[in-house]
Structures are given as C-alpha cells and as structure tokens.
Amino acid sequence: MTQTSTVVAQMRQLIQILAQHNHAYYVMDQPTILDSEYDQLFHQLKALEEQYPEYIQPDSPINKVGGKPLAKFTSVTHVVPMLSLGNVFNQEELFAFARRAEERLPNQTIQYDVELKFDGLAISLWYEQGVLVRGVTRGDGETGEDITQNVKTIRNLPKVLSTDQGEVPTLLEVRGEVLMPKAGFEKLNAENEAKGEKTFANPRNAAAGSLRQLDPNIAASRPLAFYAYGIAQCEPNHGQSTMSESLEWLQQFGFAVGERHFVCDSIQEVQAVYEQINAERPQLSVEIDGMVIKVNSLKQQQQLGFLSREPRWATAYKFPAVAALTTVENIDWQVGRTGTLTPVARLNPVAVGGVTVSNVTLHNIGEIHRLDVRIGDTVSVYRSGDVGVTIHSNVSSRTQLDFQMAV
Ligand code: IVH
C-alpha cells in the first residue's frame, strides 16, 4: 500500500466511524461512545488532516476546507421561497384551522403530521449529486445569505448523502432549523462565563450569533445542530406521498428530525399531543416554542395551496408564554450608541422557560409608569419565543389588581 492510500484509508475509516457515532447520537438519540472518546477520534482525524491537507476528504466533519473568514456574506435568491406559517393559540383556533381544511377537501379524510416547532433559525440546504454545496439563511423568505462555510461545520448534518436503500437524488433541497441544543448552550455559557466572555441570553440567540460569524472556525466551535422538517426540491422525485414518510426518507440519509413526531387521525388527537408535549417540554433536548401541524398527505397539501404567504395546509400552534416571579434589585439606565437612554431592570436571577433571566429591558419611561415599578417590587416575568423576556406586570401589594389579572 502506498503512503497516499494508507492516509486516505485512515481518513475514510475515521470519517465513517465519526458519522456512525453522530447518527447514533443525533438521529437515534442513543450515544454509542463517550464524548471524550468522540473527541479523541475527531482529533485523530484533525491531526491527519493537518499533516496531509492535500488528502482532506470532501465529507470530513472537521471542515477546514475553505475555512477562511469571509469579508461578507453573499445574497442568494431562494428558488422556492421560504414562506412562514400562520399561528393558532388555543383549541378553538386549532379546530377552526382544521375546519377550513376540511371544507376545501370535502369527503376526504385528513391525517395530521405533528412536529416540534423548533425555536432556532430556518435554513435551506442544497445537495447536488449528493454533496452539500450550499446553505442559505431564510432572510426575508425571498433572499437569504450564503452561510455554506458555517453550516458545513454543523456536526449532525450530512455533508455527503449516502444510503443503502436506493438512489441518492441528483438535486435535493432540504429545509430545516439550526439550533443549539440546551445542554450545549449551557456548557458554552458556562465556559464563556469562566473566561469572562459574553454569555448568550438563550439558545436561539447563541445559534443565530454563531451562524452570523464570518469566520467559520467560530461556528465550528459552537455546539450547533440541524433538524430537517421539509423538502423544497427533489430530483428525481422522492416518491413519498406523506409528510411523515418524507421525514423518514430524509432520516435514511442521516438527517436528524425532531425527537418527537406524530401522525394523528383527528384534530382532537392533535390537541392531546400538543398538551402532552407542552408538559414534556422541559425534558426535550432542544427549545421549542410550539408544535407545527401539517396536513400529512402531500397531495392534499397541494390541493389546499397557499393563502398569500402562508400555507393553508399547515399552522404553528404556539405554547403559552412562560411566567415566573422575581424581585427588582435595581433599575439602571443604559446609554445606547446613539446616546439614547434605556431603563433596564436588574432582577434577582430567575429561570423562565429554560433560561435564567437577570436583566430585562423596561424600554422607556412610559413602561416604568405603566408598571409603576420600583426597586424591591415583585414582578412577573414572561418569556415567549416571539418577543423574548418582558416584565408582564408588577405583583407587589401596591398593585394587587395587576396580579389578579396576570394569573
Ligand atoms: S414547516 C411553509 N416545520 O417556523 C412553511 N416550520 O413560522 C413551512 N419552524 O420559519 C414550515 N419548526 O423555520 C416547519 N417543524 C417545523 C418547524 C418550522 C420550526 C419554523 C420555520 C419557519 C417558522 C414559520
């Protein structure tokens, strides 16, 4: 055996082992080795690549290929626009969503695919001949930014598609969400704090901040993960007839999908699943802000189509905002870059929906008056995926009325 073939064979073997462990960890949720063992294999491959950069394999999880900081991101127009979802907030609105679908599909039975609504960043991934060639942010839905270098550093994301069950598509565009799982987020924040560096308010900000880095080495050092939730384009057609089958089909290539996923025969069943997941939310490995309900049949999805920029075949069912009580320790005025003054309440740190909150903006003097907030007051702090953390009301005895309204 020549030296070249030995080095390449070693690299291929390490890549294959790392991919198997990633699959076990992210897709099957059953880690087969310790993190430290994984790191050891990872560093073995990294060392080989440093010694023999000319043999770096295109599907290497280390990805130093082209890993130079960019001057700026380039804009990419989405071939298939990345649209958004309508929202429902309660059972009545959910049932109304189902009724509208039923009315447009008379005498048809409808099954619903129920997925986690990931609280991360939507991206689009292009695979040509089975190789990941492009990753683009959602942007405004029409045009996003090319973040290929950063997405290539995401460990649980297949860089090359392979399957033992049939052909790899010549073109595949997968849509999904980039997240920082809770455990990774907590570890990152603890490390940053120990180093005296900036910590992130929540996993979503941490994921967004990591993807926005022009230097892919920063993204590579962050514990990001990708979860697939749809196929925008596939050539030749994947041949699946339902949403749930499409997700299973993606899994065979190594894509991770949500750790919970349901197919329901009725909208009542959807409601029950929603309540179950809301209760299980703290045990999930990632942050979610609701469930996504989709008509399962792809044919029915096509029949239902879109109303302006939202599908009639899917909706987001948001969880109610999470609340906690804490006390105001101080109120500071922060000076912005343009000289604007913003009041900030310093709180006794409190956990709200998986994040520890110790500061919250009071926005302006009007808000201070509205809440009649003073140092020492007890306030109810709300966190919702959309607006972040806010002080909902002042529950001190002075303002008992607000408290009754808040609970
Ligand atoms: S399907 C036509 N499924 O929610 C749009 N979206 O408000 C189809 N999201 O920006 C989207 N989890 O990034 C879908 N399981 C899921 C999702 C999901 C999170 C995000 C998505 C989009 C936003 C829509």
Side-chain angles (χ1 to χ4, degrees):
M1 225 194 221
T2 63
Q3 188 208 33
T4 311
S5 57
T6 321
V7 172
V8 171
Q10 277 179 352
M11 285 181 170
R12 293 266 16 114
Q13 197 186 5
L14 284 165
I15 290 169
Q16 206 192 344
I17 299 171
L18 288 167
Q20 279 164 359
H21 291 308
N22 271 339
H23 193 267
Y25 184 90
Y26 288 105
V27 181
M28 308 312 291
D29 205 15
Q30 278 167 351
T32 37
I33 51 169
L34 296 172
D35 278 3
S36 56
E37 289 168 339
Y38 181 95
D39 288 346
Q40 214 179 337
L41 292 167
F42 192 85
H43 284 110
Q44 233 171 307
L45 179 60
K46 197 168 165 191
L48 266 180
E49 290 190 354
E50 273 162 13
Q51 202 179 346
Y52 304 101
E54 65 275 30
Y55 302 139
I56 291 176
Q57 301 291 296
D59 54 340
S60 164
I62 289 169
N63 189 51
K64 287 271 179 191
V65 192
K68 291 205 192 73
L70 298 167
K72 68 178 186 63
F73 294 119
T74 40
S75 294
V76 179
T77 302
H78 295 294
V79 175
V80 181
M82 292 185 78
L83 304 178
S84 57
L85 291 170
N87 288 314
V88 297
F89 293 92
N90 53 46
Q91 175 171 308
E92 197 187 338
E93 290 174 4
L94 174 73
F95 287 8
F97 159 78
R99 222 173 304 120
R100 287 193 296 275
E102 283 159 17
E103 280 164 12
R104 286 181 172 267
L105 300 170
N107 306 320
Q108 294 187 34
T109 46
I110 303 178
Q111 273 192 331
Y112 296 96
D113 161 88
V114 183
E115 298 171 23
L116 303 181
K117 184 170 190 304
F118 306 108
D119 196 9
L121 285 109
I123 64 161
S124 149
L125 298 173
W126 279 67
Y127 291 84
E128 286 173 7
Q129 312 298 339
V131 178
L132 174 62
V133 292
R134 198 153 54 248
V136 185
T137 61
R138 177 176 185 274
D140 62 5
E142 299 288 339
T143 307
E145 283 177 326
D146 187 326
I147 51 158
T148 310
Q149 293 215 86
N150 286 343
V151 297
K152 278 189 176 174
T153 68
I154 300 176
R155 265 169 67 168
N156 78 332
L157 191 155
K159 317 296 178 295
V160 175
L161 306 177
S162 65
T163 174
D164 40 18
Q165 307 156 42
E167 297 282 292
V168 166
T170 52
L171 170 69
L172 178 67
E173 186 186 352
V174 177
R175 299 268 166 95
E177 202 95 345
V178 176
L179 303 173
M180 190 174 290
K182 291 176 198 168
F185 166 74
E186 273 151 31
K187 192 162 164 238
L188 175 70
N189 259 2
E191 283 167 4
N192 280 9
E193 204 171 336
K195 285 188 276 182
E197 285 174 14
K198 161 179 167 234
T199 55
F200 294 97
N202 55 55
R204 187 176 192 286
N205 287 2
S210 308
L211 281 188
R212 232 181 275 123
Q213 298 291 333
L214 292 164
D215 180 356
N217 293 307
I218 299 181
S221 73
R222 303 276 169 82
L224 297 173
F226 174 79
Y227 297 91
Y229 58 63
I231 301 168
Q233 303 185 68
C234 184
E235 286 166 20
N237 191 293
H238 51 67
Q240 309 303 309
S241 59
T242 64
M243 192 64 231
S244 49
E245 284 163 7
S246 310
L247 293 180
E248 272 164 36
W249 182 81
L250 284 176
Q251 274 183 289
Q252 69 168 317
F253 295 112
F255 288 102
V257 299
E259 63 206 89
R260 302 277 197 287
H261 178 220
F262 307 82
V263 175
C264 297
D265 289 325
S266 70
I267 203 70
Q268 288 78 7
E269 215 180 292
V270 172
Q271 174 66 26
V273 160
Y274 165 85
E275 286 167 19
Q276 178 197 327
I277 297 298
N278 192 21
E280 285 176 22
R281 198 173 165 194
Q283 281 95 57
L284 298 179
S285 67
V286 297
E287 289 261 344
I288 57 168
D289 57 349
M291 303 297 285
V292 179
I293 323 299
K294 303 176 184 174
V295 167
N296 199 24
S297 151
L298 300 182
K299 188 164 163 239
Q300 288 179 336
Q301 286 189 1
Q302 236 174 4
Q303 288 174 300
L304 288 165
F306 293 80
L307 176 65
S308 64
R309 314 287 301 150
E310 290 168 5
R312 285 200 192 88
W313 47 265
T315 191
Y317 192 176
K318 292 291 191 70
F319 292 134
V322 204
L325 292 182
T326 187
T327 48
V328 177
E329 295 188 330
N330 216 338
I331 297 175
D332 288 343
W333 288 87
Q334 245 170 24
V335 187
R337 260 185 305 143
T338 54
T340 47
L341 288 175
T342 310
V344 177
R346 308 288 176 201
L347 307 171
N348 188 9
V350 64
V352 198
V355 232
T356 304
V357 179
S358 45
N359 301 305
V360 62
T361 177
L362 285 163
H363 303 289
N364 49 53
I365 190 81
E367 188 66 2
I368 296 187
H369 289 315
R370 183 184 78 79
L371 293 163
D372 187 20
V373 66
R374 298 173 211 178
I375 294 167
D377 279 356
T378 301
V379 289
S380 92
V381 182
Y382 266 58
R383 175 167 185 263
S384 78
D386 292 329
V387 291
V389 180
T390 49
I391 292 189
H392 180 265
S393 55
N394 190 340
V395 300
S396 306
S397 52
R398 265 182 303 114
T399 52
Q400 266 306 312
L401 190 64
D402 270 359
F403 177 63
Q404 279 153 18
M405 282 160 54
V407 286

